Amino acid sequence: MFSNPVRPSVSGAIRTCRSAFVGIFIVSAVLNVLMLTGPIFMLQVYDRVLASGSVPTLLVLSAITIGLYGLSGILDILRSKALLRVSMRVYTSLTNPVLRANIRLPVMLGGKSAGLHPNRDLDTIRRFLGSPGPSSIFDLPFMPFYFLLIFVMHSALGFLALAGGAVIFLLVVFNEYSSRTTTKEVGQTTAAQSKVMETARRNAEVVGAMGMTGRLSQRYGELVTPYFYAQQQATDRSNFYSSTIKLLRMMLQSAMLGLGAYLAIRQEISGGVMIASSIIMARALSPIEQAVSHWPSFVASRQAMGRLNQVLLQCDVDRGLQGLPLPKGDLSIEEMATSAPAEPVVLLQDVALTLKAGDGLGVIGGSGSGKTSFARALVGVWPVLKGAIRLDGSTIDQWTEDERGRFIGYLPQDVELFDGTVADNIARFDKDADVVSIVAAAKLAGVHNLVAGLPDGYNTMIGDGGARLSAGQRQRIGLARALYGNPFLIVLDEPNSNLDVEGEQALSRAILEVRQRGGIVVVVAHRSSALLSVNKLLIIQGGRQVAFGDKDQLLTNVSILNGSMQSGKALANAV
């Protein structure tokens, strides 16, 4: 069966909380009815207690009022807790899809993904759902109920309240349309600032060593100015509408009292109705005022929801089949062409070759010729624009992403390790990994003695990016990670760029052992020592395949190579 029959989305996650929202709506309905406690108490005091002078009646009414206020407070607390739990449920249900999207975005969109931060969008949605903002939205449907009550008291009071509500509603609509652009600009400038900050932090050594701190600070400062003005404009606009609506509500409340007094003088309503109608109108307009105060977060949440839905739709592309047999026979490439994700320029094309189990392929060529592009397409992180890459007749995307990790090992040029123990990194953070397999991979990579010499051995915390290790140590642990689990296809991109003689000897032994057990090894190399243990050779120049065949035969016949290997004879002598 297909691995992802249902696409994750924010709306889908919210729909799973449907029963909770129904409960919150019912609680909101009860709360809005209980909000009439004050006006009714006031009405009874003016029209009954004062008229009759009955103290017992006043005491009974006061006791009932206090009880209803207490119930209202309890329900309000329960509603806030329910909204907080809804926000956390939505957040937790989307955490894994968002993490996958965060990982896949650079692979799918390349540089175009720089402005997309699905984890931040999810956090924006979580904060809004857990804030008082949704409470005001749940209260909005009960506004007509309050207006109807005012109409029951007197039609003139009802028309005044309705006119005031209409004006405030128009202000809310204007606020909505005027805040869209500025809120979007704030989000864009915030993303640009974060990008500069993260890049500087990631390259702190380079920045400090070459005196780039001042220049980057200046560049960051240039982004602060548009952010300041965009944020200022958004805040000023929100404050303007919020203050205007608050002022209008106060004016309407006074106008309601004035009109009520006039009607009371004419004996058309009682004094209690005059006071109660003013309080009810204030309550009717209160949700609008609260909604406007939370409007920036509402708009930001809505925009974040739109972006996140689009990202999840784009990145939910794992259409592999569960249970497809893992490859163990051959690798064939059929006139393959590839490019960087979401880029129109083809970087490598016309590659065609076949490898059998036990083959080792060396890939050579000048800088920028397309060797790394070949490696990335081979492991499925760059798109195949033309042709196909097949393992035992099936293209890579026919396996699920998780299952591909069982038969693919990859060592990129820039080795990145994760915050965790050495064992965690070698085992690819597999919780079910056994120590025997981890040590076997480390020994195969020739890094077991190095790891054993660390303070806590395989339990040594290496820090984010492998900060505690040298470049050569990171590369050798990255090689062990690629070899873990005895994958069928192992792709090594410049695996000896930071290795010493001992490390290169261990690399050659590892390649031979993988071939002897029936695996396929692809080695992208500039240094000839990495090719000692391969039997096939692929030569790439100018983004095209120049030659492919047995290594010894090609080394005899090929005479034009770029980079550090300028001639076939020189390479033959080195190997």
Side-chain angles (χ1 to χ4, degrees):
M1 60 182 293
F2 287 99
S3 59
N4 289 311
V6 179
R7 290 182 180 273
S9 66
V10 180
S11 55
I14 291 177
R15 278 196 298 270
T16 62
C17 304
R18 188 179 304 159
S19 59
F21 284 123
V22 171
I24 293 172
F25 181 80
I26 294 173
V27 170
S28 299
V30 177
L31 274 171
N32 279 273
V33 172
L34 290 174
M35 287 300 170
L36 297 174
T37 300
I40 293 175
F41 177 71
M42 192 75 65
L43 182 63
Q44 296 300 315
V45 167
Y46 271 87
D47 292 350
R48 291 179 181 271
V49 175
L50 293 181
S52 65
S54 174
V55 175
T57 303
L58 177 61
L59 293 176
V60 171
L61 288 174
S62 299
I64 294 174
T65 301
I66 292 173
L68 292 176
Y69 275 135
L71 178 61
S72 176
I74 293 172
L75 291 178
D76 196 30
I77 292 173
L78 291 176
R79 183 171 67 171
S80 299
K81 287 187 174 182
L83 285 170
L84 179 61
R85 280 153 180 77
V86 165
S87 70
M88 292 308 301
R89 181 172 178 177
V90 171
Y91 181 81
T92 53
S93 65
L94 290 175
T95 298
N96 286 337
V98 165
L99 176 61
R100 289 179 178 270
N102 215 34
I103 294 171
R104 290 174 178 169
L105 273 175
V107 175
M108 297 181 62
L109 301 180
K112 296 180 180 179
S113 67
L116 298 175
H117 301 279
N119 55 323
R120 294 179 187 170
D121 288 337
L122 179 59
D123 196 52
T124 298
I125 296 169
R126 177 191 62 80
R127 287 199 305 268
F128 174 73
L129 289 176
S131 72
S135 297
S136 61
I137 295 175
F138 276 103
D139 289 336
L140 286 174
F142 301 97
M143 287 179 58
F145 169 66
Y146 292 116
F147 287 134
L148 180 61
L149 284 178
I150 298 175
F151 266 104
V152 169
M153 293 177 179
H154 197 283
S155 59
L157 296 174
F159 282 118
L160 176 61
L162 191 61
V167 173
I168 291 178
F169 177 76
L170 289 176
L171 289 174
V172 171
V173 173
F174 291 149
N175 183 30
E176 156 68 12
Y177 282 101
S178 63
S179 62
R180 287 182 179 178
T181 303
T182 52
T183 304
K184 187 176 182 180
E185 289 176 357
V186 169
Q188 291 174 344
T189 52
T190 301
Q193 285 179 313
S194 299
K195 184 179 179 181
V196 174
M197 186 73 73
E198 291 171 2
T199 303
R201 181 183 178 88
R202 190 168 56 249
N203 298 279
E205 294 181 2
V206 174
V207 172
M210 296 193 291
M212 297 170 60
T213 303
R215 297 184 183 92
L216 287 177
S217 298
Q218 182 179 1
R219 183 181 178 189
Y220 186 80
E222 292 172 355
L223 295 172
V224 170
T225 301
Y227 168 77
F228 171 77
Y229 283 115
Q231 183 67 48
Q232 177 181 272
Q233 187 178 8
T235 304
D236 288 346
R237 189 163 295 167
S238 175
N239 290 339
F240 168 77
Y241 282 104
S242 180
S243 298
T244 301
I245 290 173
K246 182 179 180 180
L247 176 62
L248 183 58
R249 181 182 62 80
M250 294 171 64
M251 292 173 63
L252 281 172
Q253 193 168 1
S254 297
M256 185 70 72
L257 279 173
L259 180 59
Y262 172 76
L263 295 174
I265 292 172
R266 293 175 57 89
Q267 301 296 317
E268 295 184 27
I269 62 173
S270 66
V273 170
M274 176 188 70
I275 300 297
S277 62
S278 177
I279 297 175
I280 292 174
M281 190 208 64
R283 175 55 197 165
L285 300 179
S286 178
I288 297 181
E289 187 177 349
Q290 292 178 12
V292 171
S293 66
H294 293 287
W295 204 258
S297 60
F298 170 72
V299 174
S301 177
R302 188 182 60 193
Q303 292 177 350
M305 186 181 298
R307 289 192 300 267
L308 189 55
N309 273 328
Q310 185 177 6
V311 165
L312 292 177
L313 183 64
Q314 287 179 316
C315 295
D316 185 42
V317 294
D318 194 355
R319 300 179 179 273
L321 295 173
Q322 292 281 4
L324 194 66
L326 301 184
K328 56 182 179 180
D330 61 75
L331 164 68
S332 62
I333 302 177
E334 306 166 355
E335 300 298 331
M336 184 268 292
T338 187
S339 70
E343 295 294 336
V345 180
V346 177
L347 298 179
L348 179 65
Q349 56 188 323
D350 299 330
V351 178
L353 56 89
T354 300
L355 299 174
K356 300 293 184 182
D359 280 340
L361 173 67
V363 184
I364 58 176
S367 298
S369 60
K371 303 186 301 297
T372 296
S373 300
F374 174 74
R376 290 170 175 168
L378 202 57
V379 297
V381 296
W382 273 23
V384 176
L385 305 178
K386 177 187 174 184
I389 300 175
R390 299 185 182 276
L391 292 160
D392 288 358
S394 300
T395 56
I396 292 178
D397 58 359
Q398 293 186 38
W399 284 275
T400 65
E401 185 177 281
D402 291 338
E403 288 190 329
R404 287 200 295 270
R406 296 173 57 190
F407 63 84
I408 290 180
Y410 180 45
L411 178 67
Q413 278 188 18
D414 301 320
V415 181
E416 289 286 346
L417 300 180
F418 299 92
D419 188 13
T421 66
V422 174
D424 289 335
N425 277 271
I426 293 177
R428 311 179 187 183
F429 287 86
D430 181 6
K431 291 184 177 180
D432 299 325
D434 60 276
V435 177
V436 175
S437 299
I438 295 173
V439 174
K443 288 183 176 180
L444 184 58
V447 76
H448 173 70
N449 292 335
L450 184 153
V451 174
L454 294 175
D456 296 316
Y458 284 88
N459 289 322
T460 300
M461 297 293 295
I462 58 177
D464 187 19
R468 295 184 58 179
L469 304 174
S470 67
Q473 290 173 327
R474 289 198 300 270
Q475 194 162 43
R476 294 175 72 176
I477 291 177
L479 176 61
R481 181 177 62 188
L483 297 171
Y484 173 78
N486 296 325
F488 171 69
L489 173 63
I490 298 176
V491 180
L492 310 176
D493 192 355
E494 301 288 351
N496 61 340
S497 58
N498 296 301
L499 298 184
D500 54 16
V501 175
E502 180 184 353
E504 289 192 339
Q505 292 174 348
L507 173 65
S508 296
R509 289 194 299 268
I511 294 173
L512 282 176
E513 288 192 37
V514 171
R515 292 182 55 197
Q516 290 171 359
R517 66 169 171 79
I520 294 176
V521 184
V522 177
V523 184
V524 176
H526 272 297
R527 292 163 61 179
S528 58
S529 56
L531 305 177
L532 292 173
S533 301
V534 302
N535 63 321
K536 301 284 185 179
L537 201 62
L538 171 65
I539 303 174
I540 298 176
Q541 289 292 347
R544 293 180 181 272
Q545 174 177 319
V546 175
F548 166 73
D550 291 335
K551 181 181 69 174
D552 295 335
Q553 183 179 356
L554 282 180
L555 291 179
T556 303
N557 299 327
V558 177
S559 59
I560 303 177
L561 297 174
N562 290 333
S564 61
M565 297 174 282
Q566 296 181 353
S567 69
K569 182 177 179 181
L571 179 59
N573 292 335
V575 175

